[in-house]
Amino acid sequence: MTVTWEELGWERLADGVGRCRLPGWDCTAGLVLGAGAALMVDAGSSLAEGARLHEAARRLAGHRVTHLALTHTHFDHVFGAAAFEGAEVYGAYGAAGTGALFAPGGQGREALRADAVAEGLDARAAREAADALAPVTHEVAGECVPDLGGGTRVRLADVGPGHTSHDLAVLVPGSPAVVFCGDLVEESGEPQAGPDAVPSGWPAALDRLLDLGGDDALYVPGHGAVVDAAFVRAQRDALAARFGVSR
């Protein structure tokens, strides 16, 4: 039986492209369907959330997720990654080595677990997710273009640094084109700059997003409603003023 995006609580953005806003932190997860392949953008904040995302993707695609793109390595975007067993996992160049994040027992995992608990994630769920964290199997330096079959090709682009030292964007060409921005763009609140942010590079990262998608694309923020190029430009200018970055 065919299921629609809307029946699963997802928002359809274009042919074969959709996203959902997850509870708790209002984090976006995206999905791109090809012919016999499917790419998930970000993995949710826990193993249980990742499993729910994967099940929804199975129902929409008719098969498992084959590719997983992690826009950056914050817990609300990566802690469900282990639920996508067998998927090729993509991150921006250098992401795999960030604080030994993907090394078993690494200090980066412990810091991520502690941050998740501080933000309100159940301590047991945070420990399970940190211990099971799936490794990045493909680091994207510049761009790469995975082929999802049936003429569906997506562009993964290392557009940072900005929100973190390693920010990955996902462009799905089409009419309209769709750009998954991660937390380089936020709509439901002011963009968050934690200790791993690179404020001096953030406005330029948004310029790269705009170059990637163009004026007519849909821009999907890490948190909040889908926006247009004008919103991204306004947020770029606001970040430049906030961080004292000359343009």
Side-chain angles (χ1 to χ4, degrees):
M1 179 178 177
T2 302
V3 65
T4 67
W5 298 92
E6 292 76 15
E7 286 172 331
L8 294 179
W10 286 59
E11 179 182 0
R12 181 185 178 276
L13 302 175
D15 188 25
V17 185
R19 69 92 179 238
C20 68
R21 293 170 68 169
L22 299 167
W25 292 275
D26 189 26
C27 186
T28 283
L31 181 64
V32 185
L33 304 179
L39 179 140
M40 180 72 70
V41 182
D42 287 336
S45 62
S46 67
L47 290 174
E49 197 160 70
R52 289 193 292 272
L53 287 171
H54 202 172
E55 177 58 25
R58 286 180 189 274
R59 294 185 66 186
L60 287 162
H63 52 77
R64 69 177 181 86
V65 169
T66 54
H67 301 70
L68 172 63
L70 301 176
T71 61
H72 61 289
T73 55
H74 286 167
F75 83 91
D76 50 335
H77 296 259
V78 305
F79 261 9
F84 298 88
E85 184 176 0
E88 300 290 327
V89 183
Y90 294 80
Y93 182 75
T98 304
L101 180 59
F102 295 98
Q107 293 180 352
R109 291 191 188 212
E110 180 58 26
L112 207 60
R113 182 206 62 77
D115 182 54
V117 173
E119 291 293 331
L121 185 63
D122 173 78
R124 181 174 179 178
R127 171 58 64 195
E128 290 175 344
D131 288 347
L133 199 58
V136 168
T137 52
H138 301 281
E139 288 191 310
V140 179
E143 295 186 4
C144 72
V145 186
D147 186 351
L148 302 183
T152 302
R153 298 172 68 87
V154 296
R155 288 173 64 188
L156 308 183
D158 180 2
V159 294
H163 177 65
T164 71
S165 299
H166 311 287
D167 292 305
L168 186 73
V170 179
L171 168 69
V172 188
S175 297
V178 179
V179 183
F180 291 96
C181 307
D183 287 2
L184 285 168
V185 178
E186 296 195 38
E187 184 276 335
S188 55
E190 186 175 76
Q192 299 299 299
D196 56 345
V198 184
S200 62
W202 204 329
L206 294 189
D207 283 332
R208 287 189 284 274
L209 279 181
L210 290 163
D211 288 343
L212 193 66
D215 284 344
D216 298 324
L218 300 177
Y219 291 86
V220 186
H223 303 263
V226 175
V227 300
D228 59 12
F231 181 96
V232 177
R233 289 192 186 94
Q235 193 155 96
R236 174 202 62 193
D237 293 344
L239 286 167
R242 173 180 167 188
F243 297 129
V245 179
S246 60
R247 298 198 50 75

